[in-house]
Amino acid sequence: MGSSRPLATRPPVRRWAYLVLFIVALVSIVPFHSSTFISSAFLQSSPQEFARRSQILSKCAYIRSKPGPPPNFHDRTQSDRYADSENTAPVLVRNATIWTAANDGHEVLNGDLLIHRGLIKAIGDVPLSLIRQVESKHRKLEVVDVHGAWVTPGIVDLHSHIGVGSVPELNGARDTNSRKAPILPWLRSIDGLNTHDASYELAIAGGVTTAQILPGSANDIGGQAFIMKLRPTAERSPSSMLLEPPYTLNGSHFDHSLTPRWRHMKHACGENPSRVYGMTRLDSGWNFRAAYDSARKLRDAQDDFCAKAESNSWDDLAGNAFPEDLQWESLVDVLRGRVRLSVHCYEAVDLDGIVRLTNEFEFPVASFHHAGETYLVPDLLKKTWGGTPAIALFASNFRKKREAYRGSEFAPRVLAEHGIDVVMKSDHPVVNSRYLLHEAAQAHYYGLDPALALLSVTYTPATAMGMGHRIGMLKAGYDADVVIWSSHPLSLAATPTQVYIDGIPQLSHPGRHVAKGPTTSPRTPDFDSEKVATVTHEGIPPLEPRSVKGALFVNVSGLYMRGEGSTGVARISEKVGSVGVEDGRVVCVGQCSDFAQGAVAIVDLEGGTITPGLTSFGAPLGLVEIRLEPSTNDGSVYNPLDGDLPAILGDTIMRAQDGLMFGGQNLLLAYRGGVTTAITAPSGSFLQGVSTAFSPGAAHANVENASVVDEVALHVGISMSSRVGVSTQIAALRNMLFGEGGDKVLRRVRKGKTTLVVDVESADIMATLLRLKDEYEAHSGRELRMTFAGATEAHLLAHEIAKAGVSVIVTQSKPFPSTWEQRRILAGPPITQESLVTALLKAGVNVAIGVIDEYNARNTRFEAGWFLLTSNGTIDRTTALALATTNLEKALGVQREMPQDLVAYRGGDVFEFEAKVVGVISETLGRTDLFV
């Protein structure tokens, strides 16, 4: 009684007694006849044999148990992740508008939220007695009055490579994919999880609190995934960041009486494995079947073994160990329904193959990812063995490869209408997970119910990963992962003012750098006809506009046009009423009764606005249709630094105009998004070529005025990522500038008549370019007109750039340190007060914006709106418009007066997820194009 000796040193009779107690407890959970077991196994076996048999029976019971929280999980008084430090004081959030995720996303409470010991203790009407009880046990209760601000659960990312695909990208930390074989279920993302990824802080600044870290999609079976909380831990290890890691993490030696935890795994089909391993979909299909057949054989051997053990046929098992294979054990668990499986599949052919596979081997799929064509085959999804998977989607990131070409912004809405769970995910770093909520907001803009949109980044992904019992919802007993927002979560400028993970505040300056935004949900447009057309035409709907000679726009609330003033954009009238247009020109404003008598189309803007058409720059619009399909692209220009130029080229510099292709999906979607001019440069590394300005609405190059400006600027790139050194690239550029002869565009650059646009990210390289500019101007006595494009680190020498008269085109509105030369970003709210654009504007730099990806050109106005709404008043509406119009043209050196192309928006705010483009008044093409 009260002995303190270790168990191993106690007398044998005591060990025997402990075994008796163990088997009595075991009998209660293992399905076998205890009386038979006790008489034959317990009474007649040695203690050692009895312990072995007990372990076998315990393991047999465990492998058949279903994962989930323990029965008493919600009785816990503190989180298993609770950190007892000065930063874990209890918190009372007062006067909040709380979206809980309960009641299918429709529950909104006005009240308080009490956080203590890593858990939500109470929500809504928090009892005063509970507050006093918490205060009595702690020195300090932090009270945060949010004055009605929206509060939601922490954002949950179902598909992320944060930590394994860490940034800045360096060879020493590329652990997203193994390329050893197409079938690798034994690999684990935790083994490559980098705790120094710069993305953690950024993701948290976007409200992301939990992420599933998946292996990449190079393999048919890429390996096991793990769930992690993004906050730093005192231990500073990957393991300490994990949420409910499976007990199998460190082998099979653990207490098998515990309720199993969910495991997670990644499969991929389609183009990625085929490209990496030089195989076809037929090979992938066989790879899957062969792997699952191996797993099935192991599972059946285990079941046969357990059947004999549980029937007391120990003689038949003499000398035999429990069948195990470390390579295949995880796939066996898939067959047992103990793994939340994430499957990367885009096309119907691949989805069908996986659905058939699940029925052949009888295993469930938790979620299909990317899943671009799922909205076209909802009935197929419902045939998946074990139930319909959730579908994890991008909002608009489509068409980079053939299997993504039919992806649609209406997919979330269509799937939801078929009763299928929708998840919006990042695939970080493909989409910066800091802005995962914006994926949900875009889905809402295109018609997804607001409750489902918010669920798509909270409770739905939490449930899909098997964590819906503790995250993704605000409820007493759940993890204290909480976000306080600056505005309604589905508004464009929604930014966290504070983020709690496990009850620990994550933002150093809560609320200080964030502008207050709208508190109500955006009023989304009617896209019913576009949705129907998309499904009818299987993802490639006709996008060409209906062209008319004249039109009358009524119920117009505002009219902005190019004109005088500091920005070159001015508001003409606040109370417009009507605007009549003919041959692409405005002919009347306000009273247009006489004009209305003619045979014109009448378009009701429902209080909408008419603004100048936007100009796109940075994305290869018109040169690239499907990025990974060379036959659909103009291709890259010859890089003279890679070797001698072919003699036939001579001194000629390539021109984008010569490779233009009209009528592509990205081009027409940009036009429907309000982009009336695209300025595109050839694709290349060092000497890229001459850009051109053209109309995205033109049918082909020979349409009158399809070309707006034939030759805009000369483009070069200076990068640390080049195959030749920066000093070599600078030397080559110096030789171009100080030399003689050459292409006529280069000669015009030397004379200061054409702008030299340099793609550059590093502040150090920009400083060198400024010195080169000074050197050239001192030598030649002529101005060198220079513009930096990209310019992620330009804030570090903003005043020097302004002094030199250099313009900057920011092509990442939401900065991300993808590479080493982009690592010193100005993160913007809520991390910093200033964004790159506002910092440059304050320094006196001419600033414009662009986009990098062709799919994103259609979102140019949202990029301008982001700067407007997060600028804390630094940017007004005319400046926001100028960023993608007049400022951009000035930066590129467009010397002619640009056409007065206008865009008509129906309803809502142009710079919010509200207004819809319904027409383009094209002076360029001499017509009005309607999308209604």
Side-chain angles (χ1 to χ4, degrees):
M1 181 176 180
S3 172
S4 61
R5 280 186 294 176
L7 181 62
T9 63
R10 294 175 187 169
V13 64
R14 296 297 298 275
R15 290 203 299 269
W16 180 261
Y18 277 103
L19 288 171
V20 171
L21 292 174
F22 172 75
I23 196 56
V24 169
L26 186 65
V27 167
S28 66
I29 62 171
V30 179
F32 59 86
H33 297 291
S34 58
S35 59
T36 302
F37 178 85
I38 291 173
S39 61
S40 63
F42 180 75
L43 298 177
Q44 298 178 13
S45 301
S46 67
Q48 293 79 9
E49 177 63 15
F50 176 70
R52 187 184 75 87
R53 295 180 181 181
S54 299
Q55 291 173 354
I56 289 171
L57 291 168
S58 177
K59 180 174 289 188
C60 289
Y62 181 82
I63 63 174
R64 286 193 301 270
S65 300
K66 296 301 180 185
N72 61 345
F73 181 80
H74 287 111
D75 295 335
R76 57 186 183 152
T77 58
Q78 73 176 42
S79 170
D80 52 312
R81 295 182 49 79
Y82 173 67
D84 189 9
S85 70
E86 61 182 14
N87 290 327
T88 55
V91 177
L92 180 64
V93 179
R94 303 296 303 266
N95 301 316
T97 304
I98 307 170
W99 183 84
T100 67
N103 191 23
D104 295 326
H106 291 97
E107 182 179 76
V108 177
L109 304 177
N110 294 305
D112 305 337
L113 184 72
L114 182 62
I115 298 171
H116 185 38
R117 294 188 176 273
L119 301 178
I120 297 170
K121 291 294 186 178
I123 188 170
D125 294 324
V126 179
L128 181 60
S129 58
L130 181 58
I131 296 173
R132 287 177 175 171
Q133 178 184 342
V134 170
E135 285 182 309
S136 68
K137 296 181 179 180
H138 294 269
R139 295 190 304 272
K140 181 181 180 182
L141 171 68
E142 181 182 355
V143 178
V144 180
D145 192 333
V146 299
H147 304 288
W150 284 89
V151 173
T152 72
I155 302 301
V156 179
D157 194 350
L158 189 63
H159 187 133
S160 177
H161 304 294
I162 196 170
V164 292
S166 53
V167 297
E169 296 173 1
L170 296 170
N171 291 335
R174 288 184 175 178
D175 294 305
T176 305
N177 287 294
S178 169
R179 288 175 167 79
K180 297 298 184 183
I183 300 294
L184 299 168
W186 45 85
L187 300 186
R188 308 182 303 179
S189 65
I190 180 65
D191 295 325
L193 198 63
N194 179 8
T195 58
H196 303 296
D197 190 337
S199 300
Y200 293 124
E201 179 188 17
L202 298 175
I204 290 170
V208 181
T209 56
T210 305
Q212 176 174 219
I213 313 305
L214 294 163
S217 53
N219 314 97
D220 291 319
I221 301 181
Q224 299 162 50
F226 289 81
I227 313 301
M228 65 180 293
K229 297 282 189 86
L230 300 189
R231 69 172 177 85
T233 65
E235 188 176 293
R236 299 176 179 172
S237 69
S239 295
S240 65
M241 301 175 76
L242 297 183
L243 179 65
E244 291 195 5
Y247 297 118
T248 54
L249 177 62
N250 296 315
S252 60
H253 306 291
F254 56 88
D255 184 354
H256 288 86
S257 68
L258 297 170
T259 302
R261 290 173 169 174
W262 284 108
R263 304 180 72 180
H264 303 83
M265 187 178 288
K266 171 76 173 292
H267 289 7
C269 45
E271 293 184 26
N272 286 17
S274 295
R275 184 178 65 254
V276 171
Y277 292 101
M279 59 186 187
T280 68
R281 285 178 167 85
L282 282 67
D283 297 301
S284 288
W286 170 247
N287 290 339
F288 280 123
R289 295 183 70 220
Y292 273 101
D293 187 54
S294 296
R296 179 168 57 185
K297 290 175 181 176
L298 179 57
R299 179 202 62 188
D300 292 347
Q302 291 176 348
D303 289 348
D304 290 344
F305 185 95
C306 288
K308 292 175 181 178
E310 291 168 356
S311 65
N312 202 26
S313 301
W314 295 104
D315 291 343
D316 295 339
L317 300 177
N320 294 327
F322 181 83
E324 292 184 287
D325 188 320
L326 193 58
Q327 284 191 312
W328 297 110
E329 58 84 24
S330 60
L331 213 56
V332 170
D333 263 358
V334 174
L335 295 177
R336 296 191 184 281
R338 292 151 55 91
V339 177
R340 294 284 179 160
L341 188 60
S342 298
V343 183
H344 161 128
C345 271
Y346 279 91
E347 292 191 87
V349 60
D350 301 313
L351 295 163
D352 184 67
I354 294 296
V355 169
R356 286 188 283 106
L357 186 74
T358 69
N359 284 284
E360 179 180 0
F361 291 94
E362 298 186 340
F363 64 88
V365 171
S367 49
F368 281 119
H369 293 235
H370 303 313
E373 293 187 14
T374 49
Y375 72 102
L376 298 175
V377 291
D379 293 334
L380 169 64
L381 303 177
K382 295 176 182 179
K383 294 180 180 178
T384 308
W385 192 92
T388 307
I391 308 301
L393 301 163
F394 290 124
S396 58
N397 184 3
F398 315 123
R399 293 174 292 280
K400 284 187 177 179
K401 49 186 177 178
R402 178 196 163 278
E403 64 185 4
Y405 196 65
R406 296 176 188 268
S408 172
E409 62 272 31
F410 304 113
R413 174 183 173 181
V414 173
L415 289 165
E417 290 171 349
H418 284 274
I420 297 173
D421 287 341
V422 172
V423 173
M424 306 309 295
K425 47 81 180 158
S426 73
D427 193 16
H428 181 95
V430 174
V431 169
N432 180 356
S433 63
R434 178 181 178 184
Y435 301 101
L436 176 54
L437 184 61
H438 286 211
E439 297 290 293
Q442 285 187 66
H444 174 236
Y445 174 71
Y446 289 111
L448 184 64
D449 178 85
L452 295 179
L454 288 174
L455 285 172
S456 74
V457 290
T458 53
Y459 191 65
T460 304
T463 302
M465 62 173 62
M467 298 294 164
H469 57 284
R470 64 182 297 168
I471 63 172
M473 181 178 287
L474 298 182
K475 182 179 179 181
Y478 273 58
D479 287 16
D481 297 344
V482 180
V483 185
I484 304 169
W485 297 96
S486 64
S487 56
H488 190 282
L490 294 177
S491 64
L492 177 59
T495 304
T497 61
Q498 186 53 279
V499 179
Y500 296 91
I501 303 180
D502 300 321
I504 303 172
Q506 299 298 308
L507 301 183
S508 303
H509 306 289
R512 185 185 303 177
H513 303 317
V514 179
K516 195 74 173 175
T519 58
T520 56
S521 178
R523 297 180 290 116
T524 56
D526 180 354
F527 285 106
D528 289 354
S529 61
E530 290 89 344
K531 180 205 74 169
V532 171
T534 297
V535 176
T536 300
H537 294 274
E538 298 189 1
I540 309 179
L543 297 174
E544 291 78 8
R546 175 169 65 95
S547 299
V548 298
K549 178 179 177 62
L552 179 65
F553 295 94
V554 299
N555 292 322
V556 182
S557 66
L559 174 62
Y560 293 79
M561 299 182 72
R562 292 171 177 265
E564 301 300 324
S566 59
T567 65
V569 177
R571 182 164 190 163
I572 304 303
S573 177
E574 295 186 7
K575 296 181 179 179
V576 179
S578 299
V579 175
V581 299
E582 191 170 45
D583 295 332
R585 298 171 185 264
V586 174
V587 296
C588 68
V589 177
Q591 295 300 321
C592 295
S593 54
D594 293 340
F595 182 79
Q597 301 303 315
V600 297
I602 298 178
V603 182
D604 189 348
L605 293 193
E606 301 175 5
T609 307
I610 297 176
T611 73
L614 303 176
T615 299
S616 173
F617 171 79
L621 284 178
L623 297 179
V624 171
E625 182 63 5
I626 306 175
R627 186 173 290 192
L628 296 184
E629 292 288 345
S631 65
T632 72
N633 305 328
D634 175 57
S636 295
V637 302
Y638 197 95
N639 182 4
L641 297 185
D642 287 341
D644 294 334
L645 280 169
I648 194 170
L649 292 177
D651 293 329
T652 302
I653 295 176
M654 273 56 75
R655 285 154 171 77
Q657 186 182 39
D658 297 332
L660 285 182
M661 299 172 288
F662 290 79
Q665 294 284 294
N666 289 309
L667 202 56
L668 290 175
L669 286 168
Y671 192 53
R672 282 176 166 257
V675 174
T676 58
T677 302
I679 299 180
T680 298
S683 300
S685 49
F686 171 65
L687 180 56
Q688 298 168 356
V690 182
S691 55
T692 188
F694 64 99
S695 171
H700 54 77
N702 285 343
V703 169
E704 185 177 1
N705 294 327
S707 175
V708 179
V709 180
D710 293 345
E711 298 175 350
V712 175
L714 177 61
H715 297 255
V716 299
I718 308 291
S719 172
M720 297 163 69
S721 301
S722 174
R723 285 188 288 181
V724 299
V726 170
S727 56
T728 301
Q729 297 169 67
I730 294 293
L733 180 58
R734 179 181 284 108
N735 186 59
M736 288 171 56
L737 293 173
F738 285 82
E740 297 181 359
D743 187 280
K744 67 174 184 177
V745 175
L746 177 56
R747 295 198 300 270
R748 287 167 54 192
V749 168
R750 293 175 185 145
K751 295 176 181 178
K753 295 181 178 181
T754 293
T755 299
L756 177 68
V757 179
V758 186
D759 281 355
V760 57
E761 302 291 350
S762 165
D764 300 305
I765 299 176
M766 284 183 254
T768 298
L769 290 167
L770 293 179
R771 291 197 303 272
L772 178 61
K773 182 177 186 295
D774 288 342
E775 179 185 346
Y776 177 81
E777 292 174 344
H779 171 78
S780 67
R782 294 189 291 263
E783 177 190 12
L784 178 61
R785 297 169 60 179
M786 181 179 287
T787 289
F788 296 151
T792 298
E793 296 187 349
H795 59 282
L796 296 176
L797 62 167
H799 292 285
E800 291 80 357
I801 292 173
K803 183 179 179 181
V806 171
S807 294
V808 172
I809 306 173
V810 176
T811 54
Q812 276 198 103
S813 64
K814 302 175 179 68
F816 187 66
S818 295
T819 64
W820 186 257
E821 57 191 335
Q822 297 173 311
R823 70 191 185 280
R824 296 172 291 188
I825 64 170
L826 189 60
I831 299 176
T832 64
Q833 178 76 28
E834 301 292 349
S835 68
L836 177 55
V837 165
T838 59
L840 292 171
L841 285 172
K842 288 183 177 180
V845 178
N846 176 61
V847 186
I849 62 170
V851 297
I852 296 173
D853 295 307
E854 51 274 18
Y855 81 86
N856 202 33
R858 67 186 300 191
N859 296 324
T860 297
R861 72 177 170 107
F862 297 137
E863 303 294 343
W866 170 255
F867 287 116
L868 167 68
L869 299 172
T870 61
S871 70
N872 290 290
T874 300
I875 297 175
D876 60 18
R877 288 178 175 269
T878 56
T879 302
L881 286 168
L883 292 174
T885 54
T886 53
N887 284 17
L888 181 57
E889 293 145 16
K890 179 181 178 182
L892 292 170
V894 176
Q895 298 180 39
R896 58 164 283 186
E897 183 178 342
M898 294 293 286
Q900 188 72 268
D901 290 348
L902 300 171
V903 177
Y905 296 89
R906 173 176 286 166
D909 188 344
V910 171
F911 294 118
E912 184 53 89
F913 287 127
E914 291 187 339
K916 174 187 179 182
V917 175
V918 294
V920 171
I921 305 160
S922 178
E923 183 179 345
T924 299
L925 301 176
R927 72 193 193 207
T928 295
D929 290 334
L930 300 179
F931 307 118
V932 290

